[in-house]
Amino acid sequence: MTRRFKLALLDLDGTLWRDGHVIQGAPEFVERLRHNGVQPVFFTNNSSRTPSEVVDVLIRCGIAAQSNEVCTSAQAAAHALTERIPAGSTVAYVGKTGLEEALMEAGFVAKRAQGTALSEAWVNEAKAAVVGMDPLVTYLDLAVITRIAHRLGWFVLTNSDARYPTEDGFLPGNGSLGALVETASGVQPVVTGKPDRRFVEFALERYGATARETVIVGDNPYTDVLAGVEAGVYTIHVQSGVSFPDDQNVPAPDETVESVEKIFRQ
Ligand SMILES: [Mg+2]
């Protein structure tokens, strides 16, 4: 089974770990991929952590990884901007270090949209605005983003997840922050994380594989499975993470398994 694949795009939360604890069999699964010549890529909608911060969590979970094997929605957002605005442009953002680092590495001047900047000149000159998950964001920070989005007629949302699963339920996710900006500015976001198939295509280009040589593994039908189906890669749904009621609008994965422990055992 693994012989047909060169690349495996692996979701993190609910797939390899859950609530900060490793999911049983995940380290052995990643080793199995490597042993069979399949490049594992840690493929996450979370734009908050830098790749090296993701590696720290993986290593704490017993999963061997390097930062160049981490592909985040923040990097996809920065890549999308390179196709729209010149290098060196000022980009306003809300988000954490993962997004700031991705924007800077792509050659932009990344400025955190703080409420105190509302009347500063650079806000009128920013060439783009990006919303990434940021638990410390304020009303006025989002006001800065909203004004830029309204002026430009577009803004970037690193992922549109409405909710963020937690041990005791959920918290509002990045899509909910984006909904505020969308409502107030009256403009639609460019969404760069899963389920946007361009995030998968960005990874294929970056790691040098075709859609037919790639498998995506994840627990969320609305992000992981949909992204895989849209991009035409083989899709494995794992039941170790968030559960959703059956929804006829979500395309079926190629395979459903309990957890990564069950994948590529033969
Ligand atoms: Mg997940």
Side-chain angles (χ1 to χ4, degrees):
M1 187 65 191
T2 50
R3 227 171 294 155
R4 62 179 276 205
F5 298 119
K6 272 173 66 178
L7 186 68
L9 304 177
L10 309 177
D11 176 55
L12 299 177
D13 202 1
T15 301
L16 298 183
W17 69 58
R18 191 175 54 219
D19 303 328
H21 301 290
V22 66
I23 286 174
Q24 191 177 333
E28 296 80 4
F29 166 63
V30 173
E31 271 318 299
R32 213 150 54 234
L33 291 173
R34 293 189 193 282
H35 181 76
N36 286 291
V38 183
Q39 170 66 59
V41 166
F42 305 98
F43 190 62
T44 178
N45 260 5
N46 184 320
S47 64
S48 303
R49 292 192 182 99
T50 65
S52 68
E53 289 168 341
V54 171
V55 166
D56 289 344
V57 183
L58 286 165
I59 286 173
R60 274 206 303 278
C61 288
I63 297 168
Q66 294 180 351
S67 56
N68 62 5
E69 294 174 324
V70 178
C71 190
T72 73
S73 65
Q75 292 172 330
H79 178 74
L81 289 179
T82 62
E83 294 174 345
R84 288 171 167 258
I85 59 173
S89 298
T90 295
V91 176
Y93 74 95
V94 292
K96 295 178 74 180
T97 45
L99 181 55
E100 181 187 23
E101 184 181 282
L103 291 171
M104 291 193 308
E105 279 185 356
F108 299 113
V109 178
K111 288 209 176 201
R112 174 67 164 73
Q114 279 163 329
T116 48
L118 201 56
S119 55
E120 287 179 18
W122 72 265
V123 173
N124 295 321
E125 287 151 20
K127 295 283 192 294
V130 184
V131 176
M133 186 56 199
D134 187 341
L136 300 179
V137 76
T138 71
Y139 172 83
L140 286 176
D141 299 343
L142 290 171
V144 173
I145 296 287
T146 300
R147 284 199 185 174
I148 297 169
H150 182 256
R151 172 170 56 79
L152 297 173
W154 62 284
F155 72 103
V156 171
L157 186 61
T158 59
N159 69 291
S160 59
D161 302 11
R163 293 175 177 183
Y164 174 73
T166 60
E167 216 161 334
D168 58 353
F170 70 89
L171 291 169
N174 194 44
S176 298
L177 297 182
L180 184 148
V181 175
E182 185 178 341
T183 302
S185 66
V187 301
Q188 300 272 323
V190 175
V191 181
T192 59
K194 296 173 272 189
D196 186 3
R197 67 179 167 78
R198 286 168 296 188
F199 187 24
V200 176
E201 288 161 1
F202 167 64
L204 299 186
E205 191 185 324
R206 180 171 163 189
Y207 296 99
T210 65
R212 284 179 60 80
E213 295 166 332
T214 302
V215 55
I216 187 168
V217 182
D219 65 308
N220 188 328
Y222 297 96
T223 56
D224 305 306
V225 172
L226 191 54
V229 171
E230 296 268 310
V233 307
Y234 193 85
T235 302
I236 301 178
H237 178 225
V238 290
Q239 296 172 315
S240 49
V242 290
S243 61
F244 288 92
D246 287 341
D247 185 331
Q248 301 295 323
N249 296 320
V250 179
D254 293 293
E255 264 183 67
T256 297
V257 295
E258 276 168 49
S259 75
V260 290
E261 195 177 20
K262 310 282 184 193
I263 302 176
F264 302 146
R265 292 304 293 262
Q266 66 277 28

